[in-house]
């Protein structure tokens, strides 16, 4: 299975709150899990990525939590700001191919 | 560093014509580049993998004769949409891997908006 399932489809959070987006994958051969942020009309920008030998990775306000046994990973955005309003995509790939399989995307709106 | 550019940023063409989109890695060498297509409010779908000096490999369902890919140098890959039709209208995005800095990280270009009339 190549599919990566992402939820929720949309999310509204108050400024200062925590935004949580979840993804699940089927292919246990995946070994690289990035999150991308995309603004309308722009290309995706890498936020943070994790490999399955680590259960959590934090970079600034962004944290990835990874559960290998459940084949799930999530993005937490702490202290969400209106400037974080964008579409977020999780993805998965095998390092030897580099082919990214993207989730369906989550539209985040952070209200002032 | 790690900047990927695309040209043009948008293009409008008539049905039946061909359109070429360029993808360049500006400050690193990319032995592998990827081409994605994104329809409005949808996710990115991988179209093909472009390897420098060799033929591109296409994902299932992508017509290789319609979407011609050339990766002639370590910093340039091109996608040519041949005999474009309105259903080819989409946002085309390339990405590149920097093998020196990382084997995993992909850097995406800003995308090219194609509208076929």
């Amino acid at each position: 299975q190549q599919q990566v399932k992402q939820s929720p489809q949309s999310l509204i959070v108050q400024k200062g709150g925590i935004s949580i987006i979840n993804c699940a994958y089927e292919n246990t051969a995946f070994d690289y899990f990035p999150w991308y942020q995309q603004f309308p009309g722009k290309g995706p920008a890498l936020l943070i990525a994790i490999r399955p030998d680590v259960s959590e990775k934090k970079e600034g306000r962004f944290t990835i939590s990874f559960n290998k046994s459940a084949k799930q990973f999530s993005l937490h955005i702490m202290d969400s700001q209106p400037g974080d309003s964008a579409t977020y995509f999780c993805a998965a790939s095998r390092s030897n191919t580099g082919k990214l399989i993207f989730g369906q995307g989550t539209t985040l709106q952070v209200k002032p | 560093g790690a900047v990927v550019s695309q040209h043009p940023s948008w293009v409008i063409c008539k049905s039946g014509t061909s359109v070429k989109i360029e993808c360049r890695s500006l400050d690193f060498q990319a032995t592998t580049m990827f081409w994605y297509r994104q329809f409005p409010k949808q996710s990115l779908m991988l179209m093909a993998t472009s390897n420098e000096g060799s033929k591109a490999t296409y994902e299932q369902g992508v017509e290789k004769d319609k979407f011609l890919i050339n990766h002639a140098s370590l910093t340039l890959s091109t996608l040519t949409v041949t005999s474009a039709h309105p259903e080819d209208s989409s946002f085309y995005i390339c990405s590149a891997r920097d093998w020196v800095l990382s084997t995993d990280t992909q850097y995406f270009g800003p995308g090219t908006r194609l509208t076929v009339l």
Side-chain angles (χ1 to χ4, degrees):
Chain A
Q1 289 288 337
Q2 294 289 314
Q3 196 173 17
V4 177
K5 295 182 179 180
Q6 183 173 345
S7 63
Q9 186 175 5
S10 63
L11 182 61
I12 300 175
V13 174
Q14 291 294 129
K15 178 182 177 181
I18 302 174
S19 303
I20 302 174
I21 305 171
N22 302 296
C23 281
Y25 63 98
E26 291 293 328
N27 190 343
T28 56
F30 289 146
D31 58 4
Y32 176 67
F33 303 89
W35 283 91
Y36 285 88
Q37 178 190 58
Q38 186 180 33
F39 293 102
K42 306 295 184 182
L46 178 66
L47 277 177
I48 188 172
I50 199 167
R51 297 185 67 88
D53 54 347
V54 177
S55 62
E56 185 175 283
K57 183 176 181 180
K58 182 177 181 179
E59 289 184 0
R61 295 186 294 112
F62 303 97
T63 300
I64 297 180
S65 297
F66 187 84
N67 187 328
K68 187 175 181 179
S69 61
K71 293 186 287 186
Q72 296 175 347
F73 59 110
S74 61
L75 174 70
H76 294 232
I77 305 175
M78 311 300 287
D79 188 25
S80 299
Q81 299 296 313
D84 296 331
S85 298
T87 300
Y88 293 80
F89 292 97
C90 64
S93 73
R94 296 173 60 180
S95 293
N96 61 342
T97 68
K99 296 182 180 181
L100 285 172
I101 307 300
F102 281 85
Q104 296 87 340
T106 296
T107 302
L108 171 65
Q109 181 184 359
V110 181
K111 289 191 170 182
Chain B
V3 177
V4 176
S5 70
Q6 282 185 240
H7 178 81
S9 56
W10 59 269
V11 57
I12 302 173
C13 70
K14 293 182 178 180
S15 185
T17 61
S18 295
V19 174
K20 179 184 284 188
I21 302 170
E22 293 185 348
C23 176
R24 293 181 185 273
S25 57
L26 299 185
D27 49 5
F28 65 98
Q29 293 183 334
T31 54
T32 303
M33 290 183 173
F34 302 88
W35 287 95
Y36 296 82
R37 181 166 55 181
Q38 186 178 33
F39 292 107
K41 298 193 182 300
Q42 293 189 23
S43 187
L44 287 81
M45 295 296 295
L46 178 65
M47 298 175 65
T49 302
S50 170
N51 293 298
E52 187 265 337
S54 63
K55 290 184 178 180
T57 55
Y58 293 81
E59 296 301 301
Q60 190 173 8
V62 177
E63 301 175 58
K64 62 179 181 180
D65 294 329
K66 181 169 188 61
F67 299 100
L68 302 179
I69 292 173
N70 183 278
H71 194 159
S73 77
L74 286 172
T75 60
L76 173 65
S77 176
T78 61
L79 168 68
T80 301
V81 183
T82 62
S83 186
H85 291 284
E87 57 265 30
D88 298 324
S89 298
S90 188
F91 194 48
Y92 292 87
I93 313 171
C94 70
S95 71
R97 291 174 72 169
D98 183 339
W99 286 96
V100 173
L101 291 182
S102 168
T103 58
D104 294 323
T105 304
Q106 285 189 35
Y107 301 95
F108 281 80
T112 296
R113 174 75 60 192
L114 170 63
T115 301
V116 184
L117 302 177

